[in-house]
Amino acid sequence: MGCITSGIQEFLSDLLDTRLLIIKVTYFMLLAGIVIVWPQLTLHQEELGLTTYHTGICSSVMSFLIILVPLLAGLAGDKLGNYKLLMSTATMVTGIGALLFTFVPSARRSKVTGLNGTTSGSQFGIEISSNFNNGTMTAFEVDSEKLVETFWYYLAVRTLFGMFQSVGYTLFEASVMTQVQERGINYGFQRAWGTLAVIVFSLISGYIIDKTGGFKMIFWVSAVLHIVSAALMLLLTNFKVPTQSLTKEIFKYLCNAEVILLFTALLVAGVFIGYLETFMYRYLFSLGASNILIGLTVTVGAPFELIITLVTSYFVRLMGHAPLIMAGLSAYAVRLVGMSVLIDPWWVLPLEMLESVANGLLFTAAIMYCTVLFPMDTITTFRGIFAVVYFGVGKLLGTAVGSEMREALGDRATFRVLAGTALAFTLIYCFAFCTLRRHTNKTFALKPSLPTKTLS
């Protein structure tokens, strides 16, 4: 009971601190701008006439670029020290990129009628794009020549949007992590406002699409939210001094065994995220899912993620970072097995509650882990490396290897293979961490000492 009372008092104190208001509002606006479009991007590609093959290429290219972008952003941030202008400009360009999605030409033509199960696109001399809703096939003509133009336009816009979003978000989170170290603020309490935005705007996105009959409005809303976020970032303070011997510091910490284990776990988790973000929504759509259900897949798990984000600091103090990361990895195994046996797409909603553990707990615990493992003068670079491993290399492998597995095995078998991989690596990580701890005779992050500075 005392722990609960203490936690509530800490939360209220943080909530009423006006010096942290800008961080909370920026988190809300920034995550809202991202999540209102992110679950719908693969469906927007289908609306334009792009195929699953094009989806795989776009995701692979984005993942490859994200291998470089966050790292360069982190290096620039540590060298600049006060990178407020760079962060704000990148977020502003992201908003412009969201608007450019509305100008990508569609390769679809009029709806094809009279098709049956034995009819093929070649009989019409065109490509066929099909949607399956409630067991009924709706097919559209896709202009093969226009499809090439559409793909390259879309890839250019998606690249612009993704790259600058990565820069802005990486630098913003690094600025928050700096304040976690310097002022002892609770990271979970700040990020919870971004999770709240996910709850609200993931549901709003599907509603807007159904009401307006298209995707244009969600891109306009995303643009406005990113531009507002860019303006708010200019009001942030407490940036660090520039780092002098950055390269030496980076290699020193990258040789740490505990750091290697952390980044390996993030890499594996990124593989699962890459595959799920690329193909899960199309998989659900093929089972008859509506746009409302697609939005709900994010909304239903978000309240649990909000709660977990708020209490992560408590569990870190109680158990340590590493056990929470293991819990996140094992949750992926359960979630992927569940996806493999779906018949009715609505049963995905209970599975998405695991997203709060698989992603929310793992991601938040890992970010907090970084604030313990790395010093302030390199925190921005290591936040960039975090993004490179998790969102870049991991997602690239998940998309590229997952695409090949999906073509060879199908959706269900691929989910099962990935589930087995998640369970196996959880056990490997647990064994390696415990062995390392016994070998070095150190506590590591099992029961770490968190920053104890108070706001002043």
Side-chain angles (χ1 to χ4, degrees):
M1 189 68 180
C3 292
I4 296 176
T5 303
S6 176
I8 292 174
Q9 290 177 344
E10 184 183 358
F11 172 73
L12 291 176
S13 176
D14 181 272
L15 183 64
L16 297 175
D17 193 321
T18 55
R19 291 169 293 179
L20 302 178
L21 181 61
I22 294 297
I23 294 177
K24 292 178 173 64
V25 176
T26 305
Y27 251 125
F28 185 89
M29 293 293 182
L30 192 57
L31 266 295
I34 293 171
V35 81
I36 197 169
V37 299
W38 203 259
Q40 307 292 349
L41 283 178
T42 52
L43 299 183
H44 178 239
Q45 292 170 29
E46 189 164 355
E47 175 75 13
L48 295 173
L50 301 177
T51 66
T52 54
Y53 179 73
H54 293 125
T55 297
I57 293 176
C58 288
S59 296
S60 296
V61 170
M62 278 306 307
S63 296
F64 178 76
L65 291 173
I66 291 175
I67 292 174
L68 299 175
V69 173
L71 177 58
L72 295 176
L75 290 169
D78 276 330
K79 280 296 184 183
L80 289 171
N82 187 343
Y83 46 80
K84 180 163 50 179
L85 184 59
L86 173 62
M87 176 173 60
S88 177
T89 302
T91 305
M92 178 74 71
V93 175
T94 305
I96 295 171
L99 285 179
L100 292 179
F101 276 111
T102 64
F103 294 98
V104 178
S106 176
R108 279 187 173 183
R109 295 193 295 192
S110 59
K111 188 184 296 184
V112 178
T113 59
L115 292 177
N116 54 45
T118 60
T119 305
S120 67
S122 60
Q123 289 175 275
F124 290 86
I126 55 175
E127 299 289 333
I128 298 294
S129 173
S130 302
N131 291 342
F132 293 88
N133 282 300
N134 300 321
T136 303
M137 185 177 78
T138 305
F140 297 84
E141 295 182 0
V142 177
D143 189 322
S144 298
E145 294 183 0
K146 189 67 173 289
L147 184 61
V148 176
E149 178 187 0
T150 298
F151 170 69
W152 286 110
Y153 270 111
Y154 182 87
L155 183 61
V157 174
R158 179 72 182 274
T159 300
L160 177 74
F161 180 79
M163 284 178 61
F164 283 94
Q165 177 191 290
S166 179
V167 172
Y169 187 70
T170 297
L171 292 177
F172 174 68
E173 281 231 311
S175 70
V176 177
M177 291 166 70
T178 299
Q179 297 201 45
V180 169
Q181 288 186 325
E182 186 178 51
R183 302 167 60 190
I185 68 173
N186 189 307
Y187 170 77
F189 289 169
Q190 316 313 315
R191 194 173 190 276
W193 289 87
T195 306
L196 181 62
V198 172
I199 296 173
V200 176
F201 283 87
S202 59
L203 181 60
I204 287 177
S205 66
Y207 179 80
I208 290 176
I209 291 169
D210 282 351
K211 287 298 182 181
T212 61
F215 293 84
K216 285 189 176 182
M217 184 57 69
I218 65 169
F219 291 121
W220 277 94
V221 175
S222 177
V224 171
L225 290 168
H226 275 99
I227 291 171
V228 172
S229 299
L232 290 171
M233 287 173 179
L234 293 175
L235 303 177
L236 292 172
T237 57
N238 291 85
F239 285 83
K240 64 185 191 64
V241 297
T243 305
Q244 302 301 321
S245 56
L246 186 57
T247 304
K248 181 180 178 181
E249 289 293 310
I250 291 173
F251 282 106
K252 180 176 74 174
Y253 287 98
L254 283 178
C255 293
N256 183 295
E258 195 175 3
V259 171
I260 293 172
L261 278 178
L262 169 62
F263 284 145
T264 304
L266 291 173
L267 176 68
V268 174
V271 169
F272 307 139
I273 286 288
Y275 186 81
L276 287 167
E277 284 189 353
T278 304
F279 296 111
M280 186 185 80
Y281 297 115
R282 285 207 173 198
Y283 172 63
L284 295 175
F285 207 56
S286 71
L287 296 177
S290 64
N291 286 319
I292 290 292
L293 177 57
I294 296 299
L296 281 173
T297 59
V298 180
T299 302
V300 74
F304 294 92
E305 184 172 338
L306 176 62
I307 295 171
I308 285 180
T309 302
L310 289 171
V311 301
T312 296
S313 294
Y314 169 76
F315 283 110
V316 165
R317 286 192 289 263
L318 182 67
M319 302 170 61
H321 303 90
L324 299 184
I325 291 171
M326 296 173 203
L329 290 169
S330 61
Y332 271 115
V334 178
R335 185 182 176 204
L336 289 162
V337 168
M339 293 293 297
S340 73
V341 297
L342 279 182
I343 300 297
D344 184 344
W346 284 92
W347 281 101
V348 75
L349 296 182
L351 293 175
E352 286 307 290
M353 294 178 186
L354 287 171
E355 173 67 8
S356 60
V357 179
N359 185 45
L361 181 62
L362 188 152
F363 185 90
T364 305
I367 286 286
M368 295 175 69
Y369 204 174
C370 289
T371 65
V372 174
L373 290 175
F374 309 120
M376 187 184 299
D377 57 351
T378 61
I379 195 67
T380 308
T381 296
F382 277 103
R383 178 57 182 85
I385 295 175
F386 182 108
V388 167
V389 174
Y390 190 51
F391 298 111
V393 179
K395 288 179 66 173
L396 175 61
L397 290 174
T399 302
V401 177
S403 297
E404 296 300 322
M405 290 174 59
R406 183 175 179 271
E407 289 295 321
L409 304 175
D411 284 307
R412 297 184 187 277
T414 302
F415 282 127
R416 290 174 187 139
V417 170
L418 292 176
T421 304
L423 179 59
F425 185 78
T426 302
L427 297 175
I428 293 171
Y429 181 64
C430 181
F431 175 77
F433 185 84
C434 292
T435 300
L436 179 63
R437 182 171 178 264
R438 285 197 303 268
H439 177 69
T440 57
N441 195 29
K442 291 182 179 179
T443 302
F444 285 113
L446 200 57
K447 287 189 177 180
S449 298
L450 295 181
T452 57
K453 294 180 182 179
T454 56
L455 292 174
S456 57

